[in-house]
Amino acid sequence: MNWNDHDKLWNHVFIKVMDVRRMLMEQGETLRSYNLPASAFFYTVRGSARIWLDGSAGSIKRFHVLHGGKGACLDIEADELLEYYMILYKATLPPPSRQELQALMERCNPFQMQYELDPHYPLPLFDKVTAMSREWLRPGASDALYVKTLFYQFLYELQSQLREQGIQAVKPDPVAQAIRYMQHNYRKPITLETLAGLLDLNTRQFLRMFKSRLNTSPIDYLIQIRMNKAKELLLHSEFTLKHIAEWVGYSDSYYFSRIFKKVEGVSPSGYKEHARRSDNRRNNPSRLSGYPIAARRLRRYSNNGVENHYQYNEKGDFQMYRKSRASMAVTLLFCFSLLLSACSTGSGTANNSGGTAAPGGSQNATSSVPAAGQMPDKDAPRLIKHAMGETTLQGTPQRVVILTNEGTEALLAVGIKPVGAVQSWIGDPWYDHIKDDMKNVSAVGDELQPNIEMIASLKPDLIIGNKVRQEKIYEQLKKIAPTVYSEDLGGDWKINFKLYAEAVNKKEEGDKAMAAFDKRVADVKAKLGSKAATKVSVARFSASQVRIYQKQTFSGVLLSQLGFARPASQDKDSFIEVMTKEKIPSMDGDVLFYFVTEAAGKTDAAKVVQEWKNDPLFQNLNVSKTGNIVQVDEAIWNSAGGYEAANLLLDELVKYFDIK
């Protein structure tokens, strides 16, 4: 890397400092898939964390400096209380610049480069960063000019230390960045202009770059991502075509069907039917029959709690071949007995218990073959398809360990009290609304760090976890007991609820609980009338950041089901948006519900709430003028995320809107 070229470009561009943020993250708190809205410097003043920039892993600690360009994807996991500053800036080369500078900008853009530094002399950098943060909060043009002056002083000191230590910058890969963005945000409206703007490139330049690498356009690549997701949902869920279309980013199901047929050569329903028939014929030598020779649901080799136990441990005899001659003789004798029994019952008459009367008036046992309409055998093996593959379970588990908060509420709703569960995000260790139901349940760590030794000591016969939270420990858990994972922790908790109910052999109870909830929602929606036009805004305040919550959040899903209007900034099929003060107007609505994430014994988040409420932009909001600002319980509106919380959230909406 030629630092002289960097200096030349820094000297010729216009610099605009976009924002200076002081951020706090509690131990264990995470920031996921945050795309930088502008070029940024990060300066850590306290704590440590693991960090990923465009997927490249690293760590940051006190006085660490990190630089990333616009569009870079940032993930942070705080190992301890983390305090850092983020300085967002924009660098623009003036239009009449010489071709030499423009070519240099394309070849070596320092504002997009990624590099980090553990400074030998941290205090000069610390002084400049803290002064910038302090001056940024003061309104006025002169203060903005001073911030820009401090930014250049910070940059000069940083460049000096980078040269002294021989630090090399890494040029980011815009194509890889675009792919990562599409994989994480395929449900959002994405255009070629969106992607190019995100990466600070012009559309022609970006399109040429993408096509030369992948021999396809970015939009065609995005369509393929969406179609692959749609195929997964078609094969492994019972969602309607409309829901699948919306989930993969299409508001119009007819348009989605046309795109699907164009890409896959068959309609979505045709694809699903073809896959079903192929699965039926998997073990069938004849293509003319839809019925396989082998059972569709393979029975497990043993009932000792571990699927395929002997092969799994790579020891012991293979039971299916041991004493084969004796087993065959017993089988033939058993079949012959059944044949004689069937012949002897042909002239019997039905009795009250459903059996048949044998000659001489004695009663035979009820037939083991279910009659038409009879409930299936709950002890029969069942194949559970989940995020990590397939697991065969048998019977109703008695000792369940659950590793998500929303999963805990799902189990309670179907009458299962777990022997172990991860502790609630709020409470000691359980949320107030479930603590009575969770007496004598062992806490096994939290969602981010389950205690594997504690889980093993409980001797579970089923473990339920989540791929997003615990993918790395799946192999360890399944050695303890059969383990089922949900795919995601999105706003639509019903997807996971259905999986959990099937896993614990409580599908009927789960269906009844869900039907009762859906009926409540339908009843409330029918009574809302004109109140449904109320624009409902939802926000969260913490010490580190302020967020608005969109439609794919826990509260957002219920608000959509009830038909409530949302402000334009939140009427999006997305999760959240991290706010800055200049975006305060987008928090407005007819009513603002907000909750506060506060560490025990702290008041930092409460101070942030007060600071934002005192801001002139906030005081100018419609909700401020009308006084329709309501603080709500974070556990119910956000973090619990399950069946019990959904009912309580519905109760709160009914009460606020005075639904009779």
Side-chain angles (χ1 to χ4, degrees):
M1 179 177 65
N2 189 330
W3 287 106
N4 291 330
D5 289 342
H6 280 216
D7 287 347
K8 184 181 294 185
L9 288 169
W10 277 108
N11 282 329
H12 282 86
V13 295
F14 291 137
I15 293 294
K16 180 179 180 181
V17 179
M18 308 294 290
D19 200 359
V20 181
R21 306 176 186 174
R22 173 179 171 269
M23 312 291 280
L24 284 172
M25 293 179 68
E26 299 292 335
Q27 181 180 7
E29 190 174 351
T30 61
L31 177 68
R32 296 293 187 196
S33 301
Y34 176 69
N35 292 97
L36 297 181
S39 300
F41 286 105
F42 297 83
Y43 186 78
T44 309
V45 295
R46 178 170 43 157
S48 61
R50 286 167 289 174
I51 191 167
W52 292 262
L53 193 59
D54 282 340
S56 297
S59 59
I60 54 175
K61 56 185 180 180
R62 192 180 184 195
F63 300 138
H64 195 95
V65 182
L66 178 72
H67 181 270
K70 181 181 179 181
C73 183
L74 179 68
D75 296 87
I76 302 177
E77 290 183 2
D79 294 326
E80 53 186 313
L81 179 64
L82 180 71
E83 180 182 359
Y84 65 92
Y85 289 90
M86 181 164 62
I87 306 162
L88 295 164
Y89 71 93
K90 182 178 181 180
T92 307
L93 199 62
S97 298
R98 301 191 304 270
Q99 289 186 350
E100 171 198 352
L101 288 175
Q102 293 175 350
L104 184 60
M105 187 77 153
E106 289 188 14
R107 185 175 71 251
C108 169
N109 185 341
F111 320 112
Q112 289 294 115
M113 290 288 188
Q114 298 173 2
Y115 50 87
E116 55 184 327
L117 173 72
D118 285 322
H120 292 165
Y121 309 102
L123 288 181
L125 295 170
F126 177 81
D127 288 343
K128 302 298 182 295
V129 170
T130 52
M132 266 191 281
S133 176
R134 192 167 52 247
E135 294 301 322
W136 183 257
L137 297 176
R138 297 180 182 177
S142 60
D143 299 304
L145 179 62
Y146 187 31
V147 168
K148 192 171 182 179
T149 303
L150 290 168
F151 177 83
Y152 276 112
Q153 292 176 9
F154 167 83
L155 180 66
Y156 177 80
E157 180 63 36
L158 179 66
Q159 298 281 67
S160 299
Q161 297 201 38
L162 287 167
R163 279 191 178 85
E164 183 180 313
Q165 295 188 32
I167 300 298
Q168 295 297 310
V170 177
K171 187 176 182 179
D173 181 351
V175 174
Q177 287 180 314
I179 290 172
R180 179 180 293 274
Y181 180 82
M182 287 188 283
Q183 288 173 338
H184 283 96
N185 300 278
Y186 61 88
R187 284 180 283 176
K188 295 181 178 179
I190 297 176
T191 63
L192 180 64
E193 290 73 18
T194 301
L195 293 170
L198 181 72
L199 301 169
D200 218 17
L201 299 170
N202 67 61
T203 53
R204 293 181 63 185
Q205 177 189 14
F206 172 62
L207 182 60
R208 185 172 63 250
M209 189 184 302
F210 199 98
K211 278 190 170 181
S212 66
R213 284 276 298 279
L214 298 177
N215 200 30
T216 187
S217 71
I219 300 307
D220 285 341
Y221 191 93
L222 171 65
I223 290 172
Q224 194 59 62
I225 291 175
R226 288 172 168 172
M227 294 306 105
N228 289 340
K229 297 292 182 181
K231 287 190 289 185
E232 290 179 19
L233 291 170
L234 285 167
L235 294 180
H236 304 303
S237 77
E238 296 301 323
F239 293 122
T240 64
L241 191 62
K242 182 177 184 296
H243 286 145
I244 292 174
E246 290 176 348
W247 185 257
V248 298
Y250 297 98
S251 57
D252 185 342
S253 58
Y254 296 102
Y255 179 70
F256 162 72
S257 295
R258 291 198 300 271
I259 294 291
F260 190 97
K261 188 171 184 178
K262 181 180 178 182
V263 174
E264 301 297 331
V266 64
S267 67
S269 57
Y271 176 85
K272 187 171 185 176
E273 179 63 19
H274 176 74
R276 185 189 66 80
R277 289 178 178 174
S278 299
D279 185 59
N280 284 348
R281 287 199 292 259
R282 183 175 51 187
N283 299 308
N284 188 356
S286 171
R287 297 179 61 85
L288 299 177
S289 173
Y291 298 94
I293 293 173
R296 292 178 188 169
R297 295 184 177 179
L298 301 180
R299 294 183 180 272
R300 60 199 306 166
Y301 296 136
S302 63
N303 292 325
N304 54 14
V306 179
E307 179 66 23
N308 210 356
H309 175 78
Y310 288 92
Q311 288 84 336
Y312 181 84
N313 288 313
E314 298 181 355
K315 62 183 181 181
D317 297 323
F318 291 88
Q319 292 286 345
M320 62 187 296
Y321 296 113
R322 291 179 64 191
K323 303 178 182 179
S324 59
R325 292 182 180 177
S327 299
M328 182 62 72
V330 171
T331 302
L332 288 172
L333 180 60
F334 179 66
C335 292
F336 186 64
S337 300
L338 285 177
L339 180 61
L340 290 176
S341 174
C343 292
S344 67
T345 59
S347 60
T349 56
N351 62 19
N352 290 337
S353 63
T356 56
S362 62
Q363 297 274 329
N364 286 335
T366 303
S367 171
S368 61
V369 181
Q374 184 175 329
M375 292 298 293
D377 183 4
K378 280 210 168 191
D379 290 329
R382 59 194 187 281
L383 186 66
I384 303 296
K385 295 181 179 181
H386 58 99
M388 304 302 290
E390 297 180 350
T391 299
T392 301
L393 302 175
Q394 187 167 7
T396 302
Q398 302 300 311
R399 299 183 63 80
V400 183
V401 169
I402 181 72
L403 303 183
T404 65
N405 280 230
E406 43 90 48
T408 299
E409 296 199 358
L411 296 190
L412 294 175
V414 297
I416 295 282
K417 184 175 182 178
V419 295
V422 288
Q423 65 191 51
S424 302
W425 294 115
I426 303 167
D428 187 20
W430 316 117
Y431 294 118
D432 286 343
H433 64 274
I434 63 169
K435 65 182 180 182
D436 291 340
D437 296 321
M438 295 291 285
K439 289 178 180 176
N440 301 320
V441 176
S442 299
V444 293
D446 60 38
E447 286 189 12
L448 299 175
Q449 291 183 318
N451 186 326
I452 297 176
E453 292 76 14
M454 172 70 79
I455 294 170
S457 72
L458 294 173
K459 298 180 180 179
D461 50 15
L462 176 64
I463 301 171
I464 300 176
N466 178 269
K467 185 177 180 180
V468 172
R469 291 285 194 242
Q470 300 113 16
E471 181 176 10
K472 294 179 181 178
I473 61 171
Y474 174 74
E475 295 297 327
Q476 294 172 269
L477 292 176
K478 76 175 187 178
K479 292 177 182 178
I480 299 172
T483 302
V484 170
Y485 268 23
S486 52
E487 178 73 36
D488 204 351
L489 283 172
D492 194 351
W493 53 273
K494 293 182 180 182
I495 299 172
N496 291 353
F497 184 94
K498 181 180 179 182
L499 172 66
Y500 302 152
E502 291 177 353
V504 297
N505 208 14
K506 295 283 187 177
K507 183 178 184 303
E508 182 181 356
E509 292 85 344
D511 290 344
K512 288 180 179 177
M514 195 57 65
F517 176 76
D518 288 342
K519 185 178 184 305
R520 286 198 67 205
V521 172
D523 289 345
V524 173
K525 183 177 182 179
K527 296 175 183 177
L528 271 174
S530 61
K531 293 178 181 178
T534 305
K535 289 185 178 179
V536 178
S537 180
V538 182
R540 173 220 186 200
F541 291 86
S542 72
S544 58
Q545 58 183 213
V546 179
R547 302 171 175 176
I548 53 174
Y549 279 63
Q550 295 162 337
K551 292 168 71 174
Q552 289 302 321
T553 55
F554 180 64
S555 58
V557 166
L558 181 57
L559 291 169
S560 294
Q561 289 173 335
L562 291 168
F564 276 109
R566 304 294 304 278
S569 63
Q570 298 168 46
D571 193 21
K572 299 177 180 179
D573 287 321
S574 301
F575 185 55
I576 63 164
E577 181 181 349
V578 178
M579 302 293 290
T580 55
K581 285 188 176 178
E582 62 267 23
K583 295 180 180 178
I584 283 177
S586 65
M587 299 174 74
D588 207 357
D590 297 318
V591 58
L592 169 63
F593 294 105
Y594 77 93
F595 45 89
V596 181
T597 303
E598 189 76 89
K602 300 283 188 177
T603 59
D604 295 340
K607 292 177 182 176
V608 172
V609 175
Q610 200 57 45
E611 177 187 330
W612 278 58
K613 283 186 174 181
N614 290 336
D615 190 281
L617 284 174
F618 195 94
Q619 292 179 352
N620 196 45
L621 296 179
N622 177 59
V623 289
S624 293
K625 294 175 180 177
T626 60
N628 293 330
I629 302 175
V630 184
Q631 183 171 358
V632 292
D633 187 344
E634 182 189 11
I636 294 172
W637 279 72
N638 181 47
S639 62
Y643 184 85
E644 302 290 339
N647 275 284
L648 291 171
L649 175 52
L650 187 57
D651 290 341
E652 292 197 4
L653 292 171
V654 166
K655 182 178 179 180
Y656 179 82
F657 287 98
D658 194 26
I659 307 299
K660 302 299 185 183

